[in-house]
Amino acid sequence: MNILAFDCSTEYISIALQKDKKIKIKHIYTKLKHSEMLLEEILAVIKKSKLTLKNIDLIVCGKGPGSFTGLRIAMATAKGLADGLDIPLISVEGLFGYKNLSIKNSKKTIIPVIDGKKNRYYTIFLKAGSENSAFLDKSIENLEKILSDDNKYLITGPDAKYFFFLLKRKKNISLSNKKYFRIPIEEILKIGYEKYLDKKIDPPNEGPIYIRKSQAEEL
Amino acid sequence: MLGAGKTTLVKGIASALKIKESITSPTYTIINEYFGKKNLYHMDLYRLNSTEELEMIGIEDMIYSKHISIIEWSKKAEKILPKNCIYINIDIDESENRIFTLKGIKI
């Protein structure tokens, strides 16, 4: 089974392609040009594996949280491809890609962060492979308040470095290896495949996750 | 104000960013994107009516990026603009001179 996965929740396009049970990945810096680059990059990755679009059996798409525009571009592209090729589409919460890291570091609470701008960060607390919180959209100060002295924390994710730098308290908190600073697209692909085996295919009205309330709603 | 020199100013900023594309007014397109040393987003929000519309075109991804956004009719986006933005006002005096008033920047 050939599986194509992609995510645009950050300033990068992250693509994974599974062929003969081997996964190849590529992260491309976009300068916010997701819409121009996504399809081209997908086709390049597929071609490099000596496949064509018609050989793809399943599409997995990161559905956020993250860049508003990026999420919409990824989801729209995924829907278009899945519909046109008549193959299933499964969307996966991008930060769930860090569940595997939380299994490997089961004594620590994993906090993957994406800069949501305006001094807010999107995150979720993960512990031993499961969610330990809902998706959060909080300032650093408010996130620091949640941290407890009895736990150990591992900060990771696309904007981990900057977030860690800004953190005032560092007790019991460490920064992950930088190889986890890119969205773990191969893990997203695997989660998508597991959902496929569980027959959890996206319904037609599935859309990105926006955890930030619209400014219009807040007023 | 019509003919005050907004587009001319943007042309100057674009040339500093080594953007080669020609700069046109975003009155009808709402947003024009250019790619140079940094991305340049030139917007005219005149035709937009609500904060929700602004959010739906993804304006926050642009104005909170490392790139440069120039916004005409920025009043419409007041609620979502960052605190540290620079305001430029262009006036024309009786002798057709352009008077630029800058707020939020030290020269």
Side-chain angles (χ1 to χ4, degrees):
Chain A
M1 185 165 192
N2 301 320
I3 307 172
L4 170 70
F6 50 88
D7 181 282
C8 298
S9 61
T10 68
E11 267 191 80
Y12 286 77
I13 290 173
S14 302
I15 303 174
L17 181 67
Q18 176 176 310
K19 179 195 174 191
D20 307 326
K21 303 207 165 164
K22 274 183 210 148
I23 300 178
K24 284 192 177 149
I25 60 171
K26 192 177 178 191
H27 300 281
I28 309 111
Y29 183 64
T30 64
K31 259 182 121 188
L32 291 180
K33 283 204 268 185
H34 294 110
S35 59
E36 278 113 296
M37 294 168 68
L38 179 60
L39 264 179
E40 268 180 37
E41 293 294 343
I42 287 173
L43 292 175
V45 168
I46 291 175
K47 197 176 171 190
K48 211 175 167 201
S49 287
K50 300 199 168 63
L51 294 175
T52 68
L53 270 178
K54 284 186 180 151
N55 303 121
I56 304 297
D57 306 297
L58 170 66
I59 290 180
V60 178
C61 165
K63 67 169 154 185
S67 150
F68 182 86
T69 318
L71 296 182
R72 289 162 82 88
I73 290 165
M75 192 56 100
T77 306
K79 280 179 189 274
L81 284 174
D83 212 37
L85 297 167
D86 198 17
I87 56 174
L89 164 64
I90 289 173
S91 60
V92 173
E93 296 77 355
L95 295 180
F96 283 1
Y98 290 96
K99 281 186 174 177
N100 190 36
L101 179 65
S102 79
I103 294 169
K104 283 194 241 164
N105 290 273
S106 60
K107 285 183 184 154
K108 290 181 179 172
T109 301
I110 309 296
I111 308 181
V113 288
I114 293 180
D115 187 352
K117 314 290 174 178
K118 302 204 236 179
N119 185 31
R120 300 260 283 268
Y121 288 83
Y122 299 130
T123 186
I124 186 169
F125 288 17
L126 302 169
K127 186 86 192 270
S130 334
E131 299 124 64
N132 223 348
S133 76
F135 282 110
L136 305 171
D137 171 18
K138 286 187 183 296
S139 67
I140 292 204
E141 297 77 31
N142 285 334
L143 276 168
E144 276 189 59
K145 282 183 200 157
I146 310 178
L147 306 181
S148 122
D149 281 341
D150 308 328
N151 277 330
K152 284 189 172 154
Y153 299 96
L154 184 65
I155 309 290
T156 188
D159 295 297
K161 213 170 151 185
Y162 189 55
F163 181 89
F164 188 73
F165 171 74
L166 291 177
L167 267 181
K168 288 208 182 79
R169 66 166 255 175
K170 301 262 194 323
K171 196 188 159 202
N172 289 343
I173 301 175
S174 48
L175 185 64
S176 79
N177 186 306
K178 69 176 181 193
K179 71 179 178 186
Y180 298 106
F181 292 172
R182 299 275 162 266
I183 283 286
I185 189 68
E186 69 285 8
E187 295 299 326
I188 292 172
L189 185 148
K190 287 180 201 163
I191 294 170
Y193 182 56
E194 281 163 24
K195 281 176 94 173
Y196 173 78
L197 295 177
D198 285 343
K199 299 196 170 61
K200 287 181 185 156
I201 289 161
D202 276 16
N205 61 351
E206 187 69 32
I209 304 177
Y210 307 124
I211 56 172
R212 176 159 303 166
K213 269 195 188 151
S214 157
Q215 202 88 23
E217 271 174 58
E218 275 180 6
L219 294 172
Chain B
M1 203 180 293
L2 218 59
K6 298 187 294 286
T7 306
T8 308
L9 173 66
V10 176
K11 279 181 182 169
I13 295 169
S15 79
L17 294 170
K18 305 252 187 281
I19 288 164
K20 288 185 185 127
E21 259 179 282
S22 66
I23 308 293
T24 54
S25 163
T27 303
Y28 298 103
T29 49
I30 298 178
I31 299 178
N32 289 343
E33 292 180 299
Y34 305 97
F35 303 104
K37 283 206 283 192
K38 283 186 174 208
N39 299 355
L40 176 63
Y41 303 107
H42 183 195
M43 323 176 188
D44 183 342
L45 305 183
Y46 181 72
R47 296 195 300 133
L48 298 187
N49 294 313
S50 67
T51 310
E52 198 186 358
E53 275 185 339
L54 290 168
E55 287 170 351
M56 294 310 272
I57 58 174
I59 192 175
E60 291 195 338
D61 280 347
M62 298 172 198
I63 60 179
Y64 287 94
S65 69
K66 300 167 204 149
H67 306 289
I68 295 175
S69 300
I70 303 175
I71 308 177
E72 299 181 20
W73 285 88
S74 64
K75 261 206 156 132
K76 300 235 181 186
E78 239 171 6
K79 286 173 193 149
I80 56 172
L81 288 181
K83 285 184 190 126
N84 59 348
C85 55
I86 300 165
Y87 291 89
I88 304 175
N89 191 46
I90 311 176
D91 276 319
I92 307 178
D93 72 6
E94 306 90 45
S95 349
E96 294 283 298
N97 294 314
R98 267 45 174 184
I99 300 158
F100 286 71
T101 316
L102 306 181
K103 246 203 277 178
I105 189 172
K106 279 184 187 165
I107 302 177

